[in-house]
Amino acid sequence: MKVAFLSTFYPFRGGIAQFNAALYRALENLGHEVKAFNFSVQYPAALFPGKTQKVTSEDIADAIPSVRSLNAVNPASYWSTAKKIKQYQPDLLVVGYWMPFMAPSLGTVIKRLEKHIKIVSIVHNAIPHETSKLDTILGNYFFNHNTKVIALSKAVEQDINSAYPSIKTKVLHHPTYTHFGNLIPKSDAREKLGIGSDKIVLLFFGLV
């Protein structure tokens, strides 16, 4: 198939970009033609709480080639991105969704393409942990333009089915990443990190 993939990719950092890169490569390996449509602006700098949205020399990142056209806060880019995807003439549009802030941009692109292209959204998180009335309005805008979605957990599927019962859902659990290198023995890892064998260790994966 000819697949358009709309979400966040390199040079943006974080788990969603890593997930998208892994899926992009998996689709390629299956013989599909894949084109990534990326954000030019993901979050305005004033709204981003971390040090940087972009990958650094310390990050392990797959430099997925992409069309960087979608500005999350510029409606004109929503229309131009939809036009570029339509010109690509894909058999399928895959959309990666993870938070209400992205709902206007992603939802508008879907709205402008849903009559022309088969669309499926991959939903990492349907409802924020700390929701607000605005989050609900934005989420409704995105989901009301979807008919088929993939949830990455049963809990997310239940959230979608409860709030949007007309949407067809399928659960495909989050895969194990393979881009962090080969496994090493726990004793070697402890020695490398300077952690004694008698210490209790709690691991957290993600951005804090």
Side-chain angles (χ1 to χ4, degrees):
M1 288 192 299
K2 198 174 182 181
V3 181
F5 194 164
L6 175 65
S7 193
T8 182
F9 293 90
Y10 177 92
F12 294 106
R13 69 192 305 230
I16 306 296
Q18 291 176 342
F19 174 94
N20 292 337
L23 179 54
Y24 179 101
R25 296 301 185 193
L27 290 169
E28 271 192 334
N29 290 338
L30 289 171
H32 302 298
E33 178 186 323
V34 191
K35 190 167 188 175
F37 292 84
N38 195 1
F39 286 87
S40 58
V41 175
Q42 189 171 238
Y43 309 103
L47 298 179
F48 187 71
K51 290 182 178 179
T52 178
Q53 302 176 48
K54 307 290 182 63
V55 299
T56 68
S57 58
E58 298 177 353
D59 292 315
I60 299 173
D62 188 349
I64 299 294
S66 67
V67 178
R68 295 188 61 195
S69 60
L70 189 61
N71 182 326
V73 292
N74 182 354
S77 76
Y78 308 171
W79 280 266
S80 62
T81 299
K83 183 178 180 181
K84 289 175 182 177
I85 293 173
K86 191 175 178 181
Q87 288 172 339
Y88 178 57
Q89 297 183 319
D91 301 303
L92 173 69
L93 171 63
V94 176
V95 180
Y97 175 84
W98 68 101
M99 66 182 302
F101 185 80
M102 302 304 173
S105 57
L106 298 176
T108 300
V109 173
I110 291 174
K111 181 181 179 181
R112 296 188 68 82
L113 293 175
E114 57 189 344
K115 294 179 182 178
H116 307 280
I117 299 168
K118 187 180 291 185
I119 299 170
V120 61
S121 292
I122 298 175
V123 181
H124 294 256
N125 193 28
I127 300 172
H129 302 300
E130 297 179 12
T131 189
S132 68
K133 190 172 182 178
L134 178 60
D135 288 334
T136 301
I137 293 170
L138 294 176
N140 287 345
Y141 180 77
F142 174 81
F143 283 103
N144 285 340
H145 292 298
N146 279 271
T147 57
K148 301 181 184 70
V149 302
I150 292 172
L152 294 177
S153 71
K154 196 68 179 174
V156 171
E157 182 192 40
Q158 289 170 351
D159 286 341
I160 297 169
N161 290 342
S162 176
Y164 314 102
S166 65
I167 296 177
K168 294 179 181 178
T169 60
K170 182 176 180 64
V171 177
L172 296 176
H173 293 287
H174 198 303
T176 303
Y177 286 137
T178 59
H179 65 280
F180 289 116
N182 296 324
L183 290 173
I184 63 174
K186 184 190 294 187
S187 57
D188 293 351
R190 282 179 175 269
E191 183 178 352
K192 199 170 185 178
L193 295 170
I195 300 173
S197 59
D198 60 332
K199 299 294 183 181
I200 295 175
V201 179
L202 175 66
L203 295 179
F204 175 85
F205 293 94
L207 296 176
V208 180

